Amino acid sequence: MTDAPIVHRIPLTERLKNPALLLLPATLFLAFIYLMPLIDLTRISMNGPSVLTHFERVFDIPLYWESLVRTMQIAVTVAFLCLLFGYPMALLIHRTRGTAQVLIATAIVLPYFIAILIRTYAWMVLLGRNGPVNKFAVWLGIFDEPMGLLFNRGTVLVCMTAVLLPLMVLSIYSSVARLDQSLTRAALASGAGPLAVFWRVLLPLTLPGIGAGFLLVFVSALGFFITPTLLGGPGDQMFAMHITQQADFVSSEGFLQALAVVLLVITLVVVAVAGRIMGFEFIWGGSKLSDTPARTSPRLKASTAKPRHTLGMVLADSIGWPLLRLLGRLHGGFGTWTVRLIGAFVIAALIVPIIVVIIISFSNATYLTFPPTEYSLRWYTKFFSDANWMRAFGNSLMIAALSACFAVILGASAAMGIVRSRIKYKSAIMLLLVSPVIVPPVVLGLSLYSLFLRFDLVGTVWGLAAAHAIGGVPIVVVIISAALQAVDPKLEQSAAVHGASPLTVFRTVTLPTIAPGLAAAVFFAFLHSFDELVLSLFLSSAQLKTLPLMLWADINYQLNPVLAVVSTLEVLLVVGGIALARPVLSRSRAA
């Protein structure tokens, strides 16, 4: 008779200390309120005489097919425009130092945190018949009278580019900032001119950032709804706009879901192809997560043993050198001044519309005009004395506070689980946690509507807060994960060895270190909810209006300076939040 093998069972208390368990709350939340509605959306889209009945109708009707093609064209064009203006801006930020660098980076980043609806409204003011562009053009004699600069394809492209440009700049800058500067210095010392260094060294090494920025802009543009609705003409309708229009018709069930699934599938296919080529890390701007210590992979060994001809090198060899021979005749300062001029133009395009709106908020006129003939606080008084605006403002604050709490609790625990656990497939889990940022908001809003109807959550504060938290969780996960990776695990291990419980270790060691990142996560999760419009359009009610919904209704029916007041308050909220966060961030860097 042989002895049975001894099985060492891990006590339950020890298993409960596993950091991987911290992933469960966020995973279950997203599974219920994010994945399940999307699956149900797909199921409803297939209800009909056959599985593909509604999809056949989408592609058979010229209106929808042409709109889909138009959406792809606009998204590609906007991505190229963002690349054209974003690359010089990334270089300008990288090459400047001190206060100038801070000011330029702020001018790029600050507008990104201002709601798309407000930035679109700013362009409507800027390009309106009584706006500064028309008045300046008439003063110069370019126009004899104000022209209709709104409601055309050019305006849609310009505004979408201005809205999405910070994504491109930040993606490219992350690649430029990681470059080894000795490479460019060595190339210059070897006799290569500035243009040759750019083409042979800088451009190939920043292709990952270019690709990531291009894809993020393209995917974001596919689901655009607000800007083309407000600034486009009848021939500029994008595919997402048909989903919101069809949502008003009860008879559209099935076909409406098919429209949403088509847009979702196109988005997922683009992301899947990009992820296969570049790795899905481009979505959250990080490196691949691993549960094992870093070691040299066979692929890396092969790449170091034998040089590979990358796409950038092939382009540089086949196209670059003929161009460089032609451009080499230009003066060396041509490229520097080109970057500076493009940078000045981009900063003006991002900041001037916001400044114009702030000035108009102090106008005494009953209509939008710039510059104001008289200044007063008339519209501020009207805003703060209007019960509807104040109720919407209070609703937005309450919903944003609740949503930020949900997002921070779920996102911070998930970030701890991702960074501190040793489970497999961390990158796949991270992809699930951040994937809501790539789903078009109109698709997510439509899918949530059915779920919320079932649980009587439509038009409730808790329902809207939970829906907004879907987009807040990825923000928190990315920020807290980055903060946790800067914490030395040995400090936590030392505290645990000396008898501290996991909660005590987190409270006394981890939390003080990640406090700046946690504060930033709270602020940005709050701001995300406070600005959210598309989900609120699907999930709110006549009794529960948020500030973006009130702003949306007024922009569609009337333009008056009250809207400028709302926009100004939003800008002050963003600037104030960032200003309050700076001392905390400064202390963390000094520590």
Side-chain angles (χ1 to χ4, degrees):
M1 183 174 180
T2 59
D3 295 334
I6 299 174
V7 178
H8 296 282
R9 293 186 177 181
I10 302 175
L12 178 62
T13 55
E14 291 298 320
R15 281 184 286 174
L16 291 176
K17 293 180 181 180
N18 187 350
L21 293 176
L22 294 172
L23 290 164
L24 281 178
T27 304
L28 293 175
F29 172 78
L30 291 178
F32 174 73
I33 202 172
Y34 165 61
L35 291 180
M36 191 173 76
L38 290 177
I39 294 171
D40 191 55
L41 180 82
T42 305
R43 178 190 63 79
I44 296 174
S45 70
M46 296 179 180
N47 288 343
S50 69
V51 172
L52 300 178
T53 298
H54 297 302
F55 295 98
E56 291 172 353
R57 182 183 168 195
V58 172
F59 292 102
D60 285 342
I61 298 176
L63 174 67
Y64 301 114
W65 171 247
E66 291 170 2
S67 177
L68 186 59
V69 173
R70 186 186 307 119
T71 298
M72 303 286 285
Q73 292 172 342
I74 290 176
V76 170
T77 304
V78 168
F80 272 114
L81 287 173
C82 286
L83 176 59
L84 177 64
F85 293 104
Y87 201 102
M89 279 307 307
L91 291 180
L92 184 62
I93 296 173
H94 182 66
R95 291 174 179 177
T96 52
R97 294 291 181 270
T99 304
Q101 186 182 51
V102 173
L103 291 176
I104 295 172
T106 302
I108 296 296
V109 173
L110 180 61
Y112 181 68
F113 296 114
I114 298 173
I116 293 176
L117 179 59
I118 288 175
R119 283 181 281 170
T120 303
Y121 168 71
W123 278 97
M124 295 176 72
V125 173
L126 190 70
L127 300 177
R129 297 188 70 87
N130 291 316
V133 171
N134 256 317
K135 288 190 173 182
F136 186 63
V138 171
W139 180 75
L140 289 177
I142 299 175
F143 303 150
D144 293 330
E145 59 182 18
M147 299 289 290
L149 301 178
L150 299 175
F151 315 121
N152 57 70
R153 178 69 58 85
T155 304
V156 172
L157 293 175
V158 168
C159 188
M160 287 181 64
T161 300
V163 168
L164 295 173
L165 185 62
L167 274 179
M168 180 68 75
V169 175
L170 293 175
S171 296
I172 296 176
Y173 177 74
S174 65
S175 288
V176 174
R178 288 195 294 262
L179 289 180
D180 185 354
Q181 297 304 306
S182 62
L183 296 176
T184 56
R185 289 195 294 268
L188 290 170
S190 300
L195 292 173
V197 172
F198 168 76
W199 194 264
R200 287 291 292 173
V201 179
L202 194 59
L203 183 61
L205 292 177
T206 54
L207 278 179
I210 293 173
F214 191 94
L215 287 164
L216 288 174
V217 171
F218 177 78
V219 169
S220 300
L222 283 178
F224 248 56
F225 156 68
I226 297 170
T227 303
T229 299
L230 296 177
L231 295 178
D236 303 311
Q237 282 196 327
M238 296 183 68
F239 200 74
M241 297 166 64
H242 293 296
I243 299 174
T244 58
Q245 292 167 359
Q246 290 288 332
D248 295 331
F249 299 98
V250 178
S251 60
S252 296
E253 183 169 338
F255 177 68
L256 175 60
Q257 283 73 15
L259 288 173
V261 169
V262 167
L263 184 58
L264 177 64
V265 168
I266 292 174
T267 303
L268 294 181
V269 167
V270 171
V271 172
V273 172
R276 185 71 180 87
I277 297 173
M278 301 173 52
F280 290 102
E281 294 77 25
F282 80 90
I283 299 174
W284 63 86
S287 56
K288 186 173 182 179
L289 299 167
S290 174
D291 59 310
T292 57
R295 60 178 183 269
T296 305
S297 64
R299 182 181 298 180
L300 181 60
K301 291 179 180 179
S303 65
T304 54
K306 185 177 180 180
R308 295 183 299 114
H309 292 286
T310 63
L311 176 61
M313 294 179 181
V314 173
L315 289 175
D317 289 333
S318 59
I319 302 174
W321 290 117
L323 289 174
L324 287 178
R325 292 190 186 97
L326 178 63
L327 297 176
R329 301 175 184 178
L330 297 173
H331 189 272
F334 177 81
T336 300
W337 280 105
T338 299
V339 168
R340 290 177 181 175
L341 290 174
I342 292 177
F345 174 77
V346 168
I347 291 173
L350 293 176
I351 299 299
V352 168
I354 297 172
I355 294 175
V356 168
V357 167
I358 293 175
I359 294 174
I360 285 179
S361 71
F362 295 97
S363 172
N364 193 40
T366 57
Y367 57 93
L368 288 179
T369 183
F370 188 89
T373 54
E374 295 181 42
Y375 293 89
S376 75
L377 295 177
R378 167 186 179 180
W379 298 106
Y380 284 88
T381 303
K382 180 175 176 56
F383 173 76
F384 286 107
S385 62
D386 190 302
N388 291 326
W389 281 110
M390 287 295 95
R391 191 180 304 111
F393 184 65
N395 289 338
S396 289
L397 288 177
M398 180 168 50
I399 292 169
L402 279 174
S403 178
C405 289
F406 293 157
V408 169
I409 292 171
L410 296 170
S413 63
M416 286 286 296
I418 281 283
V419 176
R420 290 292 180 255
S421 69
R422 299 181 63 83
I423 60 174
K424 296 181 180 180
Y425 310 114
K426 282 188 178 182
S427 289
I429 297 172
M430 187 70 166
L431 178 60
L432 169 65
L433 293 173
V434 302
S435 61
V437 301
I438 65 174
V439 176
V442 291
V443 176
L444 186 57
L446 180 62
S447 68
L448 284 172
Y449 182 72
S450 299
L451 176 71
F452 278 33
L453 274 181
R454 200 173 306 157
F455 291 92
D456 199 24
L457 289 172
V458 173
T460 64
V461 171
W462 291 96
L464 275 178
H468 292 180
I470 297 173
V473 167
I475 297 172
V476 175
V477 168
V478 170
I479 294 175
I480 301 299
S481 294
L484 283 170
Q485 287 172 353
V487 179
D488 187 356
K490 294 180 181 178
L491 297 176
E492 298 171 330
Q493 293 168 2
S494 298
V497 166
H498 286 82
S501 66
L503 185 60
T504 302
V505 172
F506 176 79
R507 181 174 54 83
T508 59
V509 179
T510 310
L511 184 58
T513 310
I514 67 170
L518 188 62
V522 171
F523 172 68
F524 291 125
F526 176 90
L527 195 61
H528 168 79
S529 175
F530 192 82
D531 292 339
E532 178 57 54
L533 169 64
V534 180
L535 294 185
S536 300
L537 282 172
F538 284 92
L539 304 175
S540 66
S541 65
Q543 291 73 36
L544 183 66
K545 294 286 186 181
T546 62
L547 199 60
L549 283 173
M550 289 283 292
L551 189 61
W552 172 255
D554 271 31
I555 287 178
N556 275 282
Y557 294 105
Q558 59 177 334
L559 286 176
N560 61 59
V562 172
L563 308 181
V565 171
V566 179
S567 302
T568 302
L569 294 176
E570 162 83 4
V571 173
L572 291 178
L573 174 66
V574 174
V575 173
I578 293 176
L580 290 174
R582 282 194 64 188
V584 180
L585 295 174
S586 299
R587 286 197 299 270
S588 70
R589 284 193 291 266

